[in-house]
Amino acid sequence: MKKLIFFILFSSLITSLALARSTGCKQGNCDNGYGKWVYTDKTTYEGEWVATKKHGQGTETWPNGYIYKGEFKESQWNGIGILFFPDGSTYEGEWANGFMNGEGTFTWSDGKQKKGIWKNGSFQE
Amino acid sequence: MEVSKNSFKTLSEPVRQFSGLVGIIILIFITFFVLNNIFGEGDELVAKMKIEEERIAEERKLNKLISSLPSGVLVSFDGTDNFKLSDELYKAVCKATKLIPQRAIMGANFLNFRAHEIYTINGNKIDETFVKWDDEKNKCFAGFVVSGNNVGVDETVTVSGEALSFLSTGIDTRVYFIKNF
């Protein structure tokens, strides 16, 4: 019984250590400068950092296939950027507070397009 | 009555014993019939048991299939390096999937700001998730329900769309991309 408890605790410790080593700032400077950060769910951000926040040009890649390339402000998608959806659809244009806000073009994976003004992720007819 | 009693007595011993046996058997049948009508669910119960057995068999079949899938991202569309599901597998994976991870929810919320707001305000809490196979459209649909108080107003928002990709962990499968646009 003691051996089993020891084994479980030891395994948990090793797993936590392995997880801790695989996440966090993996390359460069993630405080002020250019660096790559890996999150626990395997989301990665590679780009510019200012005062430990994503700020400037960067690329955020989600494990399920969403990729955002463009401007960040205060760790949010802000400015000009392009979002690639997992199925190949894209939105290219202006972003504010992590949402499609401003002028932009949504292109479906079959090539169909919607171009115009977007507000909080919705197309303004 | 007295006559029939007497005529029964005139019968030979083996015939009387056999008649008694038949009588007891009939009595047992009647007793069980009456008890079954009072306490038993009869055909309904048998039908329920059959459905349950079929469900268990189907679940076992799906679990076997899930464990045979490669670990990683499984997609139902072309154009990626990920494992492409056949139509049959797509349907099976859809039926076996119950979980929707956070990134899939966040991705769907890009196109639904109200859902995003409620989701964020309530600490990323989801009321309900669902993954359903639509036989008519031959497609897999997934979604989630968020509810909460948003600036003094109680709101409930349902976000749903086509489930186009899944994550296979080797133990289970999870919806990885909900196309709600």
Side-chain angles (χ1 to χ4, degrees):
Chain A
M1 189 63 187
K2 275 183 185 174
K3 274 184 182 175
L4 182 72
I5 293 168
F6 175 75
F7 178 73
I8 292 168
L9 288 173
F10 188 70
S11 306
S12 310
L13 185 72
I14 296 293
T15 312
S16 315
L17 282 173
L19 202 66
R21 283 179 70 87
S22 63
T23 57
C25 192
K26 302 311 292 175
Q27 265 174 32
N29 185 344
C30 302
D31 293 331
N32 284 292
Y34 189 93
K36 182 182 177 181
W37 187 280
V38 180
Y39 294 85
T40 46
D41 72 344
K42 305 292 174 206
T43 293
T44 62
Y45 169 77
E46 190 170 359
E48 294 168 321
W49 296 81
V50 173
T52 70
K53 289 194 170 166
K54 294 174 247 180
H55 202 96
Q57 290 294 324
T59 302
E60 192 170 282
T61 308
W62 290 11
N64 55 342
Y66 289 85
I67 300 166
Y68 173 83
K69 276 184 189 177
E71 281 181 79
F72 286 76
K73 271 176 202 156
E74 299 277 318
S75 289
Q76 283 198 312
W77 303 355
N78 264 295
I80 302 293
I82 178 165
L83 175 67
F84 298 90
F85 288 82
D87 70 329
S89 303
T90 58
Y91 168 84
E92 189 171 7
E94 292 174 316
W95 293 81
N97 304 318
F99 276 85
M100 305 165 205
N101 272 304
E103 211 168 301
T105 305
F106 195 103
T107 308
W108 276 261
S109 53
D110 61 4
K112 200 174 74 183
Q113 280 193 330
K114 205 178 239 185
K115 197 174 178 180
I117 302 296
W118 296 75
K119 193 181 172 189
N120 289 332
S122 294
F123 186 72
Q124 303 299 293
E125 301 288 348
Chain B
M1 187 69 181
E2 193 61 33
V3 177
S4 62
K5 205 174 167 184
N6 287 336
S7 59
F8 186 74
K9 276 182 179 173
T10 56
L11 293 170
S12 64
E13 186 61 23
V15 174
R16 275 194 287 160
Q17 279 182 351
F18 182 72
S19 307
L21 184 67
V22 170
I24 287 169
I25 290 170
I26 290 169
L27 188 70
I28 290 168
F29 269 98
I30 291 168
T31 309
F32 273 92
F33 179 75
V34 171
L35 287 173
N36 190 45
N37 275 337
I38 296 167
F39 301 109
E41 290 173 60
D43 293 342
E44 205 182 308
L45 182 68
V46 172
K48 271 185 194 171
M49 282 168 70
K50 227 175 193 176
I51 291 167
E52 185 60 13
E53 274 171 21
E54 278 169 13
R55 190 192 64 77
I56 291 167
E58 178 76 8
E59 204 172 280
R60 274 190 194 149
K61 203 173 132 190
L62 286 175
N63 285 342
K64 200 175 164 189
L65 179 111
I66 296 304
S67 58
S68 72
L69 288 169
S71 291
V73 182
L74 318 168
V75 298
S76 61
F77 50 86
D78 295 317
T80 70
D81 296 333
N82 298 313
F83 181 85
K84 168 90 194 302
L85 294 163
S86 64
D87 291 347
E88 195 188 349
L89 271 176
Y90 175 52
K91 187 177 175 179
V93 169
C94 176
K95 285 184 170 181
T97 305
K98 288 175 182 68
L99 296 169
I100 306 178
Q102 197 188 24
R103 288 288 172 193
I105 287 165
M106 288 168 77
N109 279 350
F110 278 132
L111 280 298
N112 197 322
F113 187 70
R114 276 175 61 224
H116 164 80
E117 275 193 320
I118 297 169
Y119 179 67
T120 313
I121 289 166
N122 289 294
N124 300 354
K125 199 176 133 265
I126 293 290
D127 286 355
E128 187 194 329
T129 59
F130 55 88
V131 186
K132 288 175 191 163
W133 177 258
D134 189 320
D135 276 318
E136 269 180 36
K137 292 176 182 162
N138 228 18
K139 283 177 179 177
C140 183
F141 289 93
F144 53 91
V145 180
V146 284
S147 68
N149 193 284
N150 187 11
V151 204
V153 182
D154 283 326
E155 276 191 281
T156 299
V157 179
T158 303
V159 179
S160 73
E162 210 180 325
L164 290 183
S165 84
F166 301 86
L167 172 72
S168 167
T169 63
I171 300 164
D172 61 14
T173 49
R174 294 149 193 214
V175 172
Y176 231 23
F177 171 47
I178 301 170
K179 187 177 180 180
N180 60 332
F181 51 85

